[in-house]
Amino acid sequence: MKHLFTGFIAAAALATGVQAQQNIVVGHALSPASHYGVGAQAFIDTLNELSDGAFTGEQAPAGQLGGERDMIEGLQIGSLDLVVTSTGPLGNFVPEVFALDLPFLFRDYDHARTVLDGEIGQELLDKIGENNLVGLAWSENGFRHVTNSQRPVRTPEDLAGLKLRTMENRVHMTAFSGMGASPTPMAFPELFTAMQQGVVDGQENPVTVITAAKFWEVQDYVSLTGHVYSPAVVLASPILFDSLSDEEKGWFMEAAKASAAATRAEVNRLEEAGVALLIENGMEVITDIDKAPFAALAEASYSVYTDQYGTEMVDRIKAVE
Ligand code: EAX
């Protein structure tokens, strides 16, 4: 409806010789100051500049338009234009993307970014494109760590019985069952209150998100488990994207790349500065973690992906230098 209306205005503007403006709404889960907010703004500013002002934009931050699964659905039905989202719920729409959510797969940020910026990343963006979504660029959330309100977690035994919120992602849920926790899937906008009220004891997210959402207000311990890399992706509504000219599509893709670059720069900054911020705000940060036992127990989760697609993609990702 919104696009029909915009089209009507565009036609009217053409008739009067006035350049029409189209306003793009960019949804995401976090605050405007977060790494997603910085990326959303970079998208808006770049698109505005490339289009000479023909496109304007605004953020719908902090899950205003729902959780990440809701926002992805919004793209498919055309009620939302653009989303910066983690891959958390994306595998429910594009199961091939589960390959990126496998625990202890990426060695470090360089490895993950090289994979996503290379041929594997492009193949997966294409897969997204086959599922009533448009994948514009891989952005970033970061390596995820476990926080909780009960005790310092150093070993898988310490996870036993902890009610841990995970994203709505079967790979992650299976991994945490394997590691001994009790995973509870939940949309991000419900998480803070769930921790506050003790519905869950803990959660897992990158330093970027823990700081942006001020989880220190409801969590005491953070263990730098780095158990999984969490990609983000800039997605567009196919209904919007299909209505664009080739030149406009090019602007959107360039703006998405600028968005991803701005977000990654912010992830870099917070990887440097974020842990100090957690300590400053009263969290106990556990750094001396032996990852091997966690990885061994989490490995059962690989079958969520490999039972359907085999091990080829996993091997290819591991082989990227
Ligand atoms: O995408 O749901 C989550 O835990 C995500 O990491 C967060 O919303 C940012």
Side-chain angles (χ1 to χ4, degrees), residues 3-320:
H3 298 305
L4 284 179
F5 184 64
T6 311
F8 174 74
I9 295 187
L14 265 177
T16 56
V18 179
Q19 167 88 58
Q21 272 192 344
Q22 190 168 350
N23 192 50
I24 301 298
V25 177
V26 185
H28 63 91
L30 303 170
S31 68
S34 68
H35 59 306
Y36 282 7
V38 166
Q41 201 52 48
F43 180 91
I44 291 165
D45 294 344
T46 307
L47 182 64
N48 185 261
E49 210 176 293
L50 289 171
S51 68
D52 246 332
F55 288 94
T56 55
E58 67 187 287
Q59 295 187 40
Q64 258 170 31
L65 301 177
E68 293 185 330
R69 185 164 49 82
D70 303 320
M71 290 193 282
I72 295 171
E73 280 167 4
L75 297 177
Q76 293 189 321
I77 62 172
S79 63
L80 182 57
D81 300 320
L82 220 105
V83 172
V84 179
T85 176
S86 75
T87 51
L90 190 56
N92 300 317
F93 299 83
V94 189
E96 288 87 348
V97 171
F98 279 136
L100 301 177
D101 299 316
L102 299 169
F104 301 102
L105 173 63
F106 292 105
R107 296 182 297 272
D108 52 29
Y109 278 102
D110 275 350
H111 181 207
R113 291 171 185 180
T114 306
V115 167
L116 292 172
D117 292 346
E119 114 192 335
I120 293 173
Q122 190 53 53
E123 277 172 39
L124 290 171
L125 288 177
D126 293 345
K127 283 283 171 224
I128 292 171
E130 292 167 15
N131 287 275
N132 198 23
L133 289 165
V134 180
L136 291 177
W138 289 109
S139 183
E140 188 162 77
N141 198 14
F143 276 92
R144 302 178 78 91
H145 309 295
V146 173
T147 74
N148 83 98
S149 59
Q150 301 296 309
R151 54 179 171 266
V153 168
R154 292 194 173 81
T155 66
E157 288 75 51
D158 297 326
L159 281 177
L162 273 190
K163 263 190 280 165
L164 198 83
R165 177 269 179 176
T166 67
M167 297 194 285
E168 297 156 287
N169 182 301
R170 279 186 286 126
V171 173
H172 290 185
M173 290 172 65
T174 311
F176 276 102
S177 297
M179 291 187 276
S182 305
T184 307
M186 189 183 289
F188 188 78
E190 293 161 36
L191 175 55
F192 191 94
T193 310
M195 292 192 290
Q196 197 167 40
Q197 298 181 344
V199 175
V200 293
D201 302 310
Q203 63 88 45
E204 44 85 53
N205 249 305
V207 171
T208 50
V209 176
I210 301 170
T211 53
K214 298 189 169 37
F215 281 166
W216 48 69
E217 292 178 5
V218 288
Q219 298 278 275
D220 298 320
Y221 306 99
V222 51
S223 304
L224 299 183
T225 45
H227 51 274
V228 70
Y229 174 77
S230 185
V233 61
V234 184
L235 299 175
S237 165
I239 295 167
L240 164 70
F241 202 71
D242 291 348
S243 76
L244 302 175
S245 70
D246 285 347
E247 187 185 31
E248 291 168 337
K249 285 179 182 164
W251 296 336
F252 272 64
M253 291 195 289
E254 212 172 315
K257 290 205 178 88
S259 171
T263 293
R264 284 179 181 178
E266 192 58 13
V267 173
N268 288 347
R269 191 185 70 74
L270 280 163
E271 282 293 325
E272 293 276 316
V275 170
L277 214 58
L278 300 178
I279 295 169
E280 227 170 83
N281 284 280
M283 291 189 99
E284 183 179 331
V285 182
I286 296 100
T287 54
D288 56 332
I289 306 240
D290 177 10
K291 295 185 184 179
F294 288 99
L297 293 167
E299 205 166 327
S301 65
Y302 276 55
S303 67
V304 172
Y305 175 81
T306 57
D307 281 358
Q308 199 169 353
Y309 297 108
T311 58
E312 189 203 339
M313 180 57 94
V314 177
D315 295 338
R316 280 176 68 202
I317 290 175
K318 284 184 176 163
V320 171

